[in-house]
Amino acid sequence: MIFRQLFDEATWTYTYIVADEATKEALIIDAVLEKVERDAALIAELGLKLKYAVETHVHADHITGAGMLRERTGCQTGVAASENVDCADLHLNDNDVLKLGDLEVKVLTTPGHTSGCLTFVCENKVFTGDALFIRGCGRTDFQAGDADTLYTSITEKIFPLGDEKEVYPGHDYKGMTMSTIAEEKTLNPRVKLGRKGFVDLMNNLNLPMPKHIQKAVPANQVCGLIEGQG
């Protein structure tokens, strides 16, 4: 497997590239519009053929670069089927599999941060988006989020994948790059509260709305191809 973790310092967003070593077929997870030039250059340098640009969810804090990458490379874009993003080529459901040569990327529906969150699993790596962070998790107070649903997604969909699996989140705000399921099961302070404690905490965070939510969500519902871009 070819693997790269990339970072957008403006929104604390991780973007991931995964590719099959033999065929060079590649997938990018959570591309950021402002970083398309960087990502496209790296894909070209590594000799990769971008096959898919997929989202862990419809983001509220940044605009996706998936649509622009599709225009440049001919790749297919993918979003959770429940999000009803008409511009997406692939409307992804639980247990769908994306193939990159002999490499398989499995799709899991892990709602709770929003109603349409996905987790992607490839070999020993789990890309959890905003469902599970390193020692935290995504908020649950907009885009049909639900704390109880998120607790179920974390404990009944992600944790059973196996203690040895590596966790790669959608964001990190403390400079951490990865974790493991074993670590998050035992050390994640929110999950350790149990279902009731988790729900009570998440329902009382009282966080300000993301600065760019009014712009980002509508733009991401059209694959990031807003007027003046692309």
Side-chain angles (χ1 to χ4, degrees):
M1 180 199 302
I2 298 168
F3 170 67
R4 295 291 185 275
Q5 182 183 43
L6 302 163
F7 185 63
D8 173 45
E9 60 280 357
T11 61
W12 310 87
T13 299
Y14 284 124
T15 295
Y16 300 97
I17 296 173
V18 173
D20 177 65
E21 290 196 36
T23 65
K24 305 294 187 181
E25 289 184 337
L27 168 149
I28 190 167
I29 300 170
D30 290 344
V32 175
L33 181 64
E34 289 81 4
K35 298 297 184 181
V36 164
E37 297 294 339
R38 176 201 65 186
D39 299 347
L42 179 59
I43 288 165
E45 287 173 353
L46 297 176
L48 305 180
K49 295 173 286 188
L50 191 62
K51 190 174 181 181
Y52 304 111
V54 298
E55 308 291 348
T56 56
H57 59 293
V58 171
H59 306 279
D61 57 355
H62 70 268
I63 297 174
T64 179
M68 186 179 290
L69 286 168
R70 178 175 61 187
E71 289 191 343
R72 291 187 177 204
T73 69
C75 70
Q76 292 185 299
T77 59
V79 184
S82 61
E83 295 281 37
N84 298 312
V85 176
D86 293 338
C87 64
D89 302 296
L90 303 173
H91 302 278
L92 300 170
N93 292 290
D94 203 39
N95 295 314
D96 282 352
V97 174
L98 303 173
K99 300 206 71 166
L100 306 169
D102 291 331
L103 203 61
E104 291 189 345
V105 180
K106 185 177 180 180
V107 180
L108 297 178
T109 53
T110 50
H113 166 61
T114 74
S115 59
C117 285
L118 301 176
T119 290
F120 299 98
V121 184
C122 187
E123 295 188 343
N124 71 322
K125 293 175 170 51
V126 184
F127 303 97
T128 54
D130 288 18
L132 180 65
F133 292 157
I134 299 169
R135 312 298 192 264
C137 63
R139 61 195 293 174
T140 58
D141 57 342
F142 57 76
Q143 290 175 267
D146 182 80
D148 187 74
T149 300
L150 180 57
Y151 187 83
T152 297
S153 292
I154 294 170
T155 60
E156 298 182 19
K157 297 291 287 289
I158 296 174
F159 282 176
L161 294 170
D163 286 357
E164 75 288 351
K165 288 285 196 296
E166 297 174 352
V167 172
Y168 292 91
H171 302 277
D172 188 81
Y173 305 97
K174 297 180 180 179
M176 306 290 283
T177 58
M178 57 85 66
S179 181
T180 66
I181 287 179
E183 283 185 31
E184 296 312 309
K185 284 169 70 173
T186 58
L187 299 174
N188 191 298
R190 294 182 177 183
V191 180
K192 284 172 63 177
L193 294 171
R195 185 180 295 273
K196 183 180 184 303
F198 180 90
V199 170
D200 288 346
L201 172 70
M202 297 305 296
N203 285 345
N204 290 283
L205 290 178
N206 298 316
L207 298 171
M209 285 292 108
K211 288 187 294 184
H212 304 297
I213 187 170
Q214 298 300 330
K215 180 179 179 181
V217 170
N220 290 328
Q221 289 170 335
V222 292
C223 297
L225 293 175
I226 58 178
E227 185 177 355
Q229 301 285 351

mmCIF file of all heavy atoms in Angstrom, residues 97-117:
data_model
loop_
_atom_site.group_PDB
_atom_site.id
_atom_site.type_symbol
_atom_site.label_atom_id
_atom_site.label_comp_id
_atom_site.label_asym_id
_atom_site.label_seq_id
_atom_site.Cartn_x
_atom_site.Cartn_y
_atom_site.Cartn_z
ATOM 1 N N VAL A 97 -17.536 -1.664 -1.250
ATOM 2 C CA VAL A 97 -16.092 -1.848 -1.369
ATOM 3 C C VAL A 97 -15.594 -1.088 -2.594
ATOM 4 O O VAL A 97 -16.146 -1.226 -3.693
ATOM 5 C CB VAL A 97 -15.723 -3.345 -1.485
ATOM 6 C CG1 VAL A 97 -14.219 -3.500 -1.746
ATOM 7 C CG2 VAL A 97 -16.108 -4.089 -0.208
ATOM 8 N N LEU A 98 -14.573 -0.284 -2.400
ATOM 9 C CA LEU A 98 -13.903 0.422 -3.488
ATOM 10 C C LEU A 98 -12.595 -0.299 -3.775
ATOM 11 O O LEU A 98 -11.794 -0.518 -2.857
ATOM 12 C CB LEU A 98 -13.636 1.877 -3.098
ATOM 13 C CG LEU A 98 -14.866 2.694 -2.701
ATOM 14 C CD1 LEU A 98 -14.452 4.061 -2.165
ATOM 15 C CD2 LEU A 98 -15.821 2.850 -3.875
ATOM 16 N N LYS A 99 -12.365 -0.658 -5.030
ATOM 17 C CA LYS A 99 -11.185 -1.452 -5.377
ATOM 18 C C LYS A 99 -10.130 -0.574 -6.035
ATOM 19 O O LYS A 99 -10.416 0.207 -6.942
ATOM 20 C CB LYS A 99 -11.574 -2.610 -6.300
ATOM 21 C CG LYS A 99 -12.597 -3.571 -5.690
ATOM 22 C CD LYS A 99 -12.514 -4.968 -6.272
ATOM 23 C CE LYS A 99 -11.259 -5.657 -5.819
ATOM 24 N NZ LYS A 99 -11.290 -7.124 -6.090
ATOM 25 N N LEU A 100 -8.909 -0.740 -5.562
ATOM 26 C CA LEU A 100 -7.736 -0.095 -6.134
ATOM 27 C C LEU A 100 -6.765 -1.213 -6.479
ATOM 28 O O LEU A 100 -5.988 -1.656 -5.631
ATOM 29 C CB LEU A 100 -7.096 0.868 -5.119
ATOM 30 C CG LEU A 100 -7.991 1.934 -4.506
ATOM 31 C CD1 LEU A 100 -7.285 2.624 -3.347
ATOM 32 C CD2 LEU A 100 -8.420 2.954 -5.557
ATOM 33 N N GLY A 101 -6.822 -1.709 -7.705
ATOM 34 C CA GLY A 101 -6.051 -2.902 -8.024
ATOM 35 C C GLY A 101 -6.493 -4.035 -7.119
ATOM 36 O O GLY A 101 -7.679 -4.345 -7.018
ATOM 37 N N ASP A 102 -5.536 -4.646 -6.400
ATOM 38 C CA ASP A 102 -5.869 -5.716 -5.453
ATOM 39 C C ASP A 102 -6.220 -5.182 -4.071
ATOM 40 O O ASP A 102 -6.598 -5.938 -3.178
ATOM 41 C CB ASP A 102 -4.698 -6.691 -5.331
ATOM 42 C CG ASP A 102 -4.482 -7.502 -6.598
ATOM 43 O OD1 ASP A 102 -5.478 -7.751 -7.325
ATOM 44 O OD2 ASP A 102 -3.328 -7.881 -6.864
ATOM 45 N N LEU A 103 -6.104 -3.886 -3.878
ATOM 46 C CA LEU A 103 -6.385 -3.266 -2.585
ATOM 47 C C LEU A 103 -7.875 -2.970 -2.474
ATOM 48 O O LEU A 103 -8.492 -2.475 -3.422
ATOM 49 C CB LEU A 103 -5.586 -1.974 -2.473
ATOM 50 C CG LEU A 103 -5.271 -1.397 -1.094
ATOM 51 C CD1 LEU A 103 -4.430 -2.363 -0.279
ATOM 52 C CD2 LEU A 103 -4.549 -0.069 -1.261
ATOM 53 N N GLU A 104 -8.450 -3.267 -1.328
ATOM 54 C CA GLU A 104 -9.868 -3.006 -1.101
ATOM 55 C C GLU A 104 -10.055 -1.994 0.025
ATOM 56 O O GLU A 104 -9.409 -2.088 1.069
ATOM 57 C CB GLU A 104 -10.607 -4.296 -0.746
ATOM 58 C CG GLU A 104 -10.705 -5.274 -1.905
ATOM 59 C CD GLU A 104 -11.616 -6.453 -1.610
ATOM 60 O OE1 GLU A 104 -11.957 -6.666 -0.414
ATOM 61 O OE2 GLU A 104 -11.970 -7.178 -2.553
ATOM 62 N N VAL A 105 -10.946 -1.038 -0.221
ATOM 63 C CA VAL A 105 -11.318 -0.051 0.787
ATOM 64 C C VAL A 105 -12.790 -0.273 1.116
ATOM 65 O O VAL A 105 -13.658 -0.090 0.259
ATOM 66 C CB VAL A 105 -11.084 1.385 0.282
ATOM 67 C CG1 VAL A 105 -11.488 2.390 1.362
ATOM 68 C CG2 VAL A 105 -9.625 1.588 -0.127
ATOM 69 N N LYS A 106 -13.051 -0.687 2.342
ATOM 70 C CA LYS A 106 -14.424 -0.982 2.762
ATOM 71 C C LYS A 106 -15.071 0.263 3.350
ATOM 72 O O LYS A 106 -14.434 1.027 4.080
ATOM 73 C CB LYS A 106 -14.432 -2.108 3.798
ATOM 74 C CG LYS A 106 -15.827 -2.555 4.208
ATOM 75 C CD LYS A 106 -15.770 -3.714 5.189
ATOM 76 C CE LYS A 106 -17.173 -4.164 5.593
ATOM 77 N NZ LYS A 106 -17.130 -5.302 6.558
ATOM 78 N N VAL A 107 -16.334 0.459 3.041
ATOM 79 C CA VAL A 107 -17.112 1.592 3.524
ATOM 80 C C VAL A 107 -17.987 1.154 4.697
ATOM 81 O O VAL A 107 -18.690 0.141 4.610
ATOM 82 C CB VAL A 107 -18.007 2.152 2.402
ATOM 83 C CG1 VAL A 107 -18.821 3.335 2.903
ATOM 84 C CG2 VAL A 107 -17.184 2.526 1.177
ATOM 85 N N LEU A 108 -17.940 1.920 5.779
ATOM 86 C CA LEU A 108 -18.852 1.709 6.898
ATOM 87 C C LEU A 108 -19.644 2.983 7.148
ATOM 88 O O LEU A 108 -19.069 4.077 7.148
ATOM 89 C CB LEU A 108 -18.083 1.352 8.177
ATOM 90 C CG LEU A 108 -17.270 0.061 8.198
ATOM 91 C CD1 LEU A 108 -16.558 -0.077 9.542
ATOM 92 C CD2 LEU A 108 -18.156 -1.151 7.948
ATOM 93 N N THR A 109 -20.928 2.865 7.357
ATOM 94 C CA THR A 109 -21.719 4.030 7.764
ATOM 95 C C THR A 109 -21.559 4.200 9.270
ATOM 96 O O THR A 109 -21.806 3.282 10.050
ATOM 97 C CB THR A 109 -23.197 3.860 7.398
ATOM 98 O OG1 THR A 109 -23.681 2.615 7.934
ATOM 99 C CG2 THR A 109 -23.392 3.849 5.894
ATOM 100 N N THR A 110 -21.105 5.398 9.672
ATOM 101 C CA THR A 110 -20.875 5.681 11.097
ATOM 102 C C THR A 110 -21.473 7.037 11.461
ATOM 103 O O THR A 110 -20.756 7.976 11.800
ATOM 104 C CB THR A 110 -19.366 5.639 11.421
ATOM 105 O OG1 THR A 110 -18.650 6.464 10.478
ATOM 106 C CG2 THR A 110 -18.827 4.224 11.356
ATOM 107 N N PRO A 111 -22.793 7.166 11.373
ATOM 108 C CA PRO A 111 -23.443 8.452 11.631
ATOM 109 C C PRO A 111 -23.359 8.867 13.089
ATOM 110 O O PRO A 111 -23.061 8.068 13.973
ATOM 111 C CB PRO A 111 -24.892 8.192 11.214
ATOM 112 C CG PRO A 111 -25.074 6.716 11.448
ATOM 113 C CD PRO A 111 -23.758 6.103 11.080
ATOM 114 N N GLY A 112 -23.666 10.127 13.317
ATOM 115 C CA GLY A 112 -23.707 10.668 14.670
ATOM 116 C C GLY A 112 -23.158 12.075 14.716
ATOM 117 O O GLY A 112 -23.810 12.984 15.230
ATOM 118 N N HIS A 113 -21.941 12.274 14.167
ATOM 119 C CA HIS A 113 -21.444 13.651 14.016
ATOM 120 C C HIS A 113 -22.377 14.386 13.063
ATOM 121 O O HIS A 113 -22.823 15.496 13.343
ATOM 122 C CB HIS A 113 -20.015 13.639 13.487
ATOM 123 C CG HIS A 113 -19.536 14.959 12.995
ATOM 124 N ND1 HIS A 113 -19.450 16.075 13.812
ATOM 125 C CD2 HIS A 113 -19.132 15.368 11.768
ATOM 126 C CE1 HIS A 113 -19.007 17.100 13.103
ATOM 127 N NE2 HIS A 113 -18.813 16.706 11.856
ATOM 128 N N THR A 114 -22.633 13.786 11.927
ATOM 129 C CA THR A 114 -23.744 14.162 11.045
ATOM 130 C C THR A 114 -24.494 12.883 10.721
ATOM 131 O O THR A 114 -24.054 11.792 11.068
ATOM 132 C CB THR A 114 -23.266 14.829 9.739
ATOM 133 O OG1 THR A 114 -22.696 13.824 8.887
ATOM 134 C CG2 THR A 114 -22.234 15.918 10.006
ATOM 135 N N SER A 115 -25.592 13.020 10.023
ATOM 136 C CA SER A 115 -26.384 11.830 9.695
ATOM 137 C C SER A 115 -25.765 11.011 8.577
ATOM 138 O O SER A 115 -26.174 9.870 8.342
ATOM 139 C CB SER A 115 -27.803 12.242 9.301
ATOM 140 O OG SER A 115 -27.763 13.112 8.171
ATOM 141 N N GLY A 116 -24.767 11.578 7.888
ATOM 142 C CA GLY A 116 -24.202 10.888 6.730
ATOM 143 C C GLY A 116 -22.712 10.628 6.817
ATOM 144 O O GLY A 116 -22.007 10.732 5.818
ATOM 145 N N CYS A 117 -22.214 10.296 7.991
ATOM 146 C CA CYS A 117 -20.771 10.065 8.151
ATOM 147 C C CYS A 117 -20.382 8.657 7.699
ATOM 148 O O CYS A 117 -21.097 7.685 7.949
ATOM 149 C CB CYS A 117 -20.359 10.258 9.600
ATOM 150 S SG CYS A 117 -20.278 11.976 10.121
#
